[in-house]
Amino acid sequence: QVQLVESGGGLVQAGGSLRLSCAASGRTFSSYSMGWFRQAPGKEREIVAGIWWTGRSTYYTGSVKGRFTISRDNAKNTVYLQMNSLKPEDTAVYYCAVRSEPWTTSWGTSINDYDTWGQGTQVTVSS
């Protein structure tokens, strides 16, 4: 049974930065692609960024391109989301998730592509 624990959320002013971390245990972390999602009040959960199990390829949704960076450290079983130039519209609960199957080379942009989720961490950006 894999477990994911997010940390690093908080309150920040617009233009500021935060770094989210997601520590994984219970599965061969280096074999699985990972994703960061977010869910704002009254909205559906949406993909923010993804990273292949190799770490060599990344995906970003359009609204965060150039501002967010996803990375992973397989030695530490941890995936990160560096968020810069934050905007009030980035306010949401952020979740990390692990793909259902190992060694995937397709982009999982749907919540149905992931079978395990962290508990979420709140990010609030004030204007």
Side-chain angles (χ1 to χ4, degrees), residues 7-82:
S7 61
L11 173 65
V12 64
Q13 288 188 333
S17 299
L18 284 173
R19 188 195 196 202
L20 306 183
S21 299
C22 174
S25 62
R27 188 179 286 183
T28 308
F29 177 77
S30 61
S31 299
Y32 289 83
S33 299
M34 303 288 294
W36 281 99
F37 286 73
R38 66 186 178 187
Q39 187 166 19
K43 295 188 176 181
E44 293 185 351
R45 193 169 298 189
E46 63 173 359
I47 184 77
V48 175
I51 187 166
W52 279 9
W53 57 282
T54 61
R56 293 180 179 179
S57 189
T58 56
Y59 165 89
Y60 299 94
T61 194
S63 62
V64 309
K65 281 182 180 178
R67 300 189 297 123
F68 290 11
T69 303
I70 188 171
S71 61
R72 66 190 296 160
D73 185 337
N74 286 343
K76 295 182 178 180
N77 285 4
T78 302
V79 63
Y80 304 95
L81 185 68
Q82 177 67 44

Side-chain angles (χ1 to χ4, degrees), residues 65-117:
K65 281 182 180 178
R67 300 189 297 123
F68 290 11
T69 303
I70 188 171
S71 61
R72 66 190 296 160
D73 185 337
N74 286 343
K76 295 182 178 180
N77 285 4
T78 302
V79 63
Y80 304 95
L81 185 68
Q82 177 67 44
M83 305 186 295
N84 298 328
S85 302
L86 282 160
K87 304 175 181 180
E89 51 264 44
D90 295 317
T91 295
V93 178
Y94 284 70
Y95 300 88
C96 68
V98 59
R99 290 293 298 273
S100 307
E101 299 295 329
W103 310 302
T104 51
T105 54
S106 62
W107 283 117
T109 58
S110 167
I111 59 173
N112 297 318
D113 295 320
Y114 300 81
D115 66 351
T116 303
W117 297 79

